[in-house]
Amino acid sequence: MDKGPVNPRLRLTSCGPAAAVAMTAAAAALLLAPVAAQAGTLLPERGGSPNADRIASLYALVLVFAGLVFAGVVIALVYALWRYRERRSPVAAQIRGNARLEIGWTVAAAGLIVFLAVWSLAKLDAIESPDEAAAAPAAVEAGIVEPGPGRSLRIEVVGRQYLWMYRYPGGVYSYGEMVAPVGVTVELDVTSVDVAHSWWIPKLGGKIDALPGYVSHTWFRIERPGVYTGQCAELCGRNHAEMRAQVRGVAPERYVDWLERQRALIREADEQVARDRAGSGA
Amino acid sequence: MAATEAPAAPGTATRAVPEIVAHRVDRPVSGWLGWVTTTDHKRIGALYLATALAFMMVGGVEALLMRTQLAEPSNTLLSADRYNQLLTMHGSTMVFLVVMPIWAAVANYVVPLMIGARDMAFPRLNALSYWLYLAGGIVFYGAVFFSPPEAGWTAYTPLSTGPYIPGNGTDAWIFLIHLTGVSSIIGAINFTVTIANMRAPGMGWSRIPLFCWSVLAQAFMILLTFPVVAATVTLMLTDRHFGTCFFDPACGGSALLYQHLFWFFGHPEVYIMILPAFGVISEVLPVFARKPIFGYHAIAASSIGIAFLSTLVWAHHMFTTPLTTVVLAFFMLSSMVIAVPTGVKILNWLATLFRGSINPATPLYFAAGFLVLFTLGGITGVMLAIFPIDRQVHDSYFVVAHFHFVLVAGAVSAAMAALYYWFPKMTGRMLDERLGKLSFWLQFVGFLGTFLIQHSLGLSGMPRRIYMYASDAGWGTENLISTVGAYVLGIGVVVTIVNVAWSLRHGRRAGPDPWRGNTLEWFTPSPPPPHNFDVIPRVRSVEPMRDIRHAIAARTAVEAET
């Protein structure tokens, strides 16, 4: 670093950033390398539903810019603390500001924010709106949804202390574990009957609150059979930590079988209750 | 330098300043009664500081208990209800009984000194502020002996209003909000009037120290939002006890309404806690870089800009509730916009260091630590503002990490910088530098250890406010790291407390101006006399004390460093 008299503006705009650019590039590379592999450590969970994947991609982009900005600030700070320490820089330059520089970085910061906002809004629809793709042929064959794009299965999710209940079309319901067909866009209507809860299966997309008196909407589309777990994300009382949620993605024909079995079980139980009531009433 | 004439000659004041007219002279009250009956802003500031540090210890122990519980999967140290009580007490304590009062302490002590006033505009109201704050703390902690609140510091309805939590802890929480809220409102009025009317002659609006600007912006936010939360918790109180139905959906109320009202207060509250921190950094950096602040007007204007924008971003705490997309998009954009004035401040602070002559004393360490950690917290704030991303990380440990980066690394680091910077003024003695730097490194490393890893916990699905997790969740290692970090952070804070206790009696004598400061508090002896200044100098720039040093140097022909 030269010690001659340097124009303050040159010093601020050329010297620090020159080193900073190289190091931020290195930092960005370091950040990018593990991004692909590290869902859950550096990125949100994904791999269950397209909306979770799209959120993770959006997050990855923002993370890269965040990393660059943070690295830039830290490098500039460490450089300033080291280069301009008392022993090495005994006389401080008396600079009170630089209008052009200040306007410049305000515009640059605003520009970055505008870019991130526009990018996010562009990705918004694909994350928010239920996937329009046609259901898998097996699902159409099983009679779960009509053929063609834009069809979905609606399942109602009802939170209560400390259990999730699911209502399927045709009056079937289950507790704790939701069973959902793969290859079908599933729309969820989420509500609560007591306090506020929040429905969250990280691999199946973002969370949505279950508020009494309101119905919130979200969706997922599972492509690979498997069990996806999550838990209530809004403090709902003493057993909040044990309010687990689970979605089991199964092949469409197995979903229909399960629905029938569940319907039979419910009918059986209802009849049992009716018999007991009649018995005790008489 | 311009200041060549006598800066402090009596009789040069051209503008009448409000003065106290004494009709009789009372003997000063000594001993504990003197402290209880005091209306001296410096004593009130010291009371605030001591009380806030005591509550910080309590809130810190609560945090460590929670971290200990979470150190391993399926831990049975705390029961679920005990854990919920601790998280509620910890959050409420840190917000209402620690961070806000710490800024009240610092502002009380230094604002009148910085602007060359003899006291606050309303000294008795100032005392009332403190005693209301203490009363709020006592009422709140009184609940510990009955049934502590357990609905979280946000006390969402219907959990807080319905039949879900036994006992009356939530009422204690409501009274905490009321008492500390009235205390803050009175304080805000007092600071506004003081800064508007009691400045030294010559101190125009563009010569007000930046810390005072930040206190002024904070006061406006308090005046705008605390009445709202006071009304909100009053509605909650009548819901709880008198059968009204503002927030209970079972009889026509709205649980979502409570969230809107709470966060209309709750988000500005974040800036109420962090703006004075910005002010402290803007005071500390120029003094320790021996260089004027870079872009005074931009920093003052960004404080006002942040205060204004902070009232337009509340629903970003509600991105997972059923809101229409246009509302979500509005609050996403407004929340992102607030990053611009904040970013401008950070760049101005960095530019202040460039080409300075940096004195590596403890206040500068904490200010530099603030810059690193607050920047990270600010950046994760932008990520959270993008609501599709927020849907994944909201109410998870990612958010816990985010707001601790802003409030612990931000507000508490700056409070530490303020303590090390102004302790010599308050007591006449320096804090020990070696203990100070040890405390800084323990806090910095401990903080990163505690909270950096929590981003990952949140991303991998760990919700906040859970008292336990099963071992199959795979969060054990990260939580253990976080807990170890929390203890290191705790030790770091204790080192500073020990430093304060030791230095009160044994610290090196400071003299009036140990740091070669820029502002008027360094013009008077340390500790200042009850009336603050024998003469109030005329202010000719934003760095009046520096002008005075130069004037003295010119008169005595002794070379003064800048």
Side-chain angles (χ1 to χ4, degrees):
Chain A
M1 220 51 66
D2 63 328
K3 285 181 182 170
V6 177
N7 179 323
R9 195 183 306 149
L10 283 180
R11 203 45 177 284
L12 272 168
T13 50
S14 64
C15 187
V21 165
M23 292 183 79
T24 40
L30 276 175
L31 274 173
L32 276 170
V35 152
Q38 292 293 319
T41 303
L42 277 179
L43 292 181
E45 296 282 345
R46 56 181 171 170
S49 172
N51 47 353
D53 298 351
R54 289 166 196 156
I55 291 174
S57 318
L58 178 60
Y59 182 95
L61 175 98
V62 179
L63 181 66
V64 168
F65 281 96
L68 287 174
V69 171
F70 182 64
V73 168
V74 171
I75 288 166
L77 175 68
V78 171
Y79 174 75
L81 290 175
W82 167 79
R83 171 62 184 83
Y84 300 107
R85 64 194 189 277
E86 215 167 26
R87 257 179 302 162
R88 187 164 168 181
S89 166
V91 180
Q94 300 300 302
I95 310 163
R96 287 179 184 276
N98 181 328
R100 267 206 285 177
L101 191 62
E102 288 175 65
I103 291 169
W105 68 43
T106 308
V107 170
L112 179 59
I113 290 296
V114 167
F115 168 74
L116 289 178
V118 169
W119 188 273
S120 306
L121 289 174
K123 300 287 173 193
L124 190 58
D125 193 52
I127 295 169
E128 291 291 292
S129 309
D131 202 319
E132 294 276 320
V140 177
E141 231 167 82
I144 298 169
V145 283
E146 305 276 307
R151 306 287 181 173
S152 59
L153 169 69
R154 289 197 98 87
I155 298 176
E156 202 183 328
V157 178
V158 184
R160 68 177 59 204
Q161 285 183 330
Y162 300 96
L163 192 63
W164 293 102
M165 177 202 191
Y166 314 103
R167 288 210 190 93
Y168 306 82
V172 175
Y173 55 85
S174 68
Y175 289 95
E177 184 183 74
M178 178 195 292
V179 178
V182 300
V184 178
T185 301
V186 178
E187 287 189 64
L188 302 180
D189 301 325
V190 184
T191 189
S192 161
V193 292
D194 45 33
V195 302
H197 304 275
S198 191
W199 167 258
W200 188 28
I201 309 282
K203 280 190 164 61
L204 300 184
K207 62 183 74 60
I208 194 83
D209 286 0
L211 276 179
Y214 291 87
V215 180
S216 318
H217 304 282
T218 186
W219 65 277
F220 62 76
R221 185 184 170 113
I222 301 174
E223 296 296 351
R224 281 198 312 269
V227 174
Y228 302 89
T229 56
Q231 64 188 96
C232 175
E234 180 68 65
L235 179 65
C236 59
R238 291 182 174 177
N239 284 341
H240 167 52
E242 279 142 307
M243 187 165 167
R244 304 284 159 78
Q246 192 161 308
V247 174
R248 185 152 54 92
V250 298
E253 52 281 8
R254 290 190 54 200
Y255 167 75
V256 174
D257 292 347
W258 175 84
L259 219 51
E260 279 317 309
R261 211 164 48 243
Q262 189 78 354
R263 196 193 311 276
L265 285 171
I266 291 168
R267 195 169 47 231
E268 212 171 280
D270 283 350
E271 281 165 5
Q272 181 66 43
V273 169
R275 270 199 303 279
D276 289 353
R277 283 225 182 102
S280 65
Chain B
M1 271 299 135
T4 46
E5 53 184 273
T12 55
T14 53
R15 183 172 69 100
V17 288
E19 286 186 37
I20 300 155
V21 179
H23 297 289
R24 63 193 165 92
V25 178
D26 292 327
R27 283 161 59 98
V29 188
S30 59
W32 68 270
L33 202 61
W35 284 96
V36 172
T37 58
T38 187
T39 57
D40 179 348
H41 72 97
K42 298 180 290 298
R43 287 194 146 202
I44 293 171
L47 285 171
Y48 259 116
L49 186 62
T51 316
L53 289 178
F55 277 122
M56 191 173 170
M57 294 294 102
V58 177
V61 169
E62 287 160 356
L64 288 179
L65 280 170
M66 288 190 285
R67 279 304 339 156
T68 311
Q69 162 72 10
L70 293 175
E72 57 174 37
S74 309
N75 200 350
T76 52
L77 175 73
L78 297 171
S79 61
D81 53 332
R82 197 64 78 206
Y83 187 89
N84 286 1
Q85 290 160 4
L86 281 170
L87 73 86
T88 306
M89 301 297 280
H90 168 76
S92 308
T93 301
M94 289 307 195
V95 170
F96 297 105
L97 300 175
V98 178
V99 176
M100 287 189 70
I102 276 188
W103 295 131
V106 176
N108 246 300
Y109 204 96
V110 305
V111 164
L113 288 167
M114 281 183 137
I115 63 170
R118 300 209 190 272
D119 203 322
M120 298 282 283
F122 308 115
R124 284 183 219 179
L125 272 186
N126 198 22
L128 180 65
S129 273
Y130 169 75
W131 294 107
L132 282 172
Y133 153 56
L134 184 66
I138 290 171
V139 166
F140 187 57
Y141 272 88
V144 169
F145 302 103
F146 304 96
S147 51
E150 49 184 282
W153 88 274
T154 49
Y156 270 15
T157 58
L159 182 64
S160 56
T161 49
Y164 307 105
I165 296 172
N168 288 328
T170 305
D171 299 319
W173 179 83
I174 290 171
F175 285 118
L176 167 82
I177 306 294
H178 272 142
L179 290 166
T180 56
V182 174
S183 157
S184 298
I185 291 169
I186 293 174
I189 294 170
N190 215 340
F191 282 118
T192 310
V193 176
T194 305
I195 295 170
N197 293 315
M198 299 184 62
R199 304 194 303 277
M203 186 181 277
W205 285 97
S206 58
R207 291 177 187 169
I208 296 177
L210 284 166
F211 179 70
C212 300
W213 267 114
S214 70
V215 170
L216 198 60
Q218 184 214 28
F220 274 101
M221 282 193 287
I222 290 174
L223 291 177
L224 208 57
T225 62
F226 264 83
V228 176
V229 77
T232 308
V233 297
T234 307
L235 300 181
M236 176 188 273
L237 188 75
T238 61
D239 265 13
R240 281 175 59 80
H241 295 289
F242 308 115
T244 57
C245 252
F246 296 105
F247 304 130
D248 186 359
C251 49
S254 166
L256 200 54
L257 174 65
Y258 175 80
Q259 297 190 19
H260 277 294
L261 291 171
F262 183 83
W263 289 115
F264 180 81
F265 146 81
H267 195 80
E269 172 68 10
V270 174
Y271 285 94
I272 286 167
M273 289 189 275
I274 198 69
L275 264 183
F278 294 166
V280 168
I281 301 302
S282 302
E283 294 297 335
V284 166
L285 289 179
V287 169
F288 291 87
R290 315 300 316 142
K291 188 165 162 277
I293 189 81
F294 190 92
Y296 170 92
H297 289 96
I299 292 182
S302 64
S303 289
I304 306 293
I306 288 170
F308 172 73
L309 287 171
S310 75
T311 59
L312 294 174
V313 299
W314 75 87
H316 70 217
H317 297 266
M318 301 162 60
F319 279 161
T320 60
T321 60
L323 297 172
T324 59
T325 306
V326 66
V327 173
L328 294 170
F330 171 82
F331 282 101
M332 163 177 150
L333 296 177
S334 63
S335 306
M336 291 176 84
V337 166
I338 216 165
V340 175
T342 315
V344 164
K345 271 184 193 286
I346 289 171
L347 292 169
N348 275 304
W349 289 327
L350 285 175
T352 302
L353 291 174
F354 268 79
R355 305 203 59 214
S357 172
I358 292 164
N359 168 18
T362 310
L364 183 90
Y365 273 57
F366 278 105
F370 169 95
L371 282 177
V372 174
L373 301 174
F374 178 78
T375 301
L376 209 156
I379 287 171
T380 53
V382 174
M383 300 171 113
L384 288 165
I386 299 171
F387 71 88
I389 292 178
D390 182 77
R391 294 264 174 84
Q392 273 291 16
V393 290
H394 183 78
D395 270 337
S396 77
Y397 263 80
F398 189 95
V399 166
V400 175
H402 160 72
F403 66 72
H404 282 91
F405 262 89
V406 177
L407 289 177
V408 182
V412 176
S413 288
M416 290 286 164
L419 182 69
Y420 280 86
Y421 180 55
W422 278 306
F423 186 85
K425 179 51 62 185
M426 299 176 79
T427 63
R429 290 177 185 275
M430 308 292 286
L431 283 167
D432 186 75
E433 278 287 304
R434 274 170 310 169
L435 282 178
K437 283 168 186 166
L438 175 69
S439 176
F440 166 78
W441 283 114
L442 286 170
Q443 287 187 45
F444 188 78
V445 173
F447 180 85
L448 279 175
T450 313
F451 293 107
L452 199 57
I453 196 84
Q454 289 187 359
H455 292 105
S456 289
L457 277 173
L459 290 170
S460 58
M462 181 168 170
R464 63 191 283 205
R465 294 172 164 179
I466 55 171
Y467 81 101
M468 57 78 81
Y469 51 92
S471 55
D472 61 6
W475 300 325
T477 315
E478 288 95 331
N479 271 301
L480 184 61
I481 292 171
S482 184
T483 302
V484 172
Y487 276 91
V488 176
L489 175 59
I491 293 166
V493 174
V494 168
V495 169
T496 284
I497 301 285
V498 168
N499 196 354
V500 167
W502 185 83
S503 301
L504 272 175
R505 290 190 180 280
H506 308 287
R508 192 159 55 79
R509 296 263 176 207
D513 187 16
W515 307 117
R516 290 179 294 153
N518 291 331
T519 37
L520 281 181
E521 74 270 30
W522 306 107
F523 178 64
T524 191
S526 309
H531 57 285
N532 290 354
F533 301 96
D534 292 335
V535 285
I536 295 172
R538 192 176 175 81
V539 174
R540 292 165 196 286
S541 77
V542 73
E543 292 134 350
M545 191 53 204
R546 191 160 157 267
D547 299 344
I548 290 167
R549 275 199 309 276
H550 279 272
I552 292 169
R555 294 193 148 201
T556 57
V558 174
E559 189 74 21
E561 289 180 71
T562 47

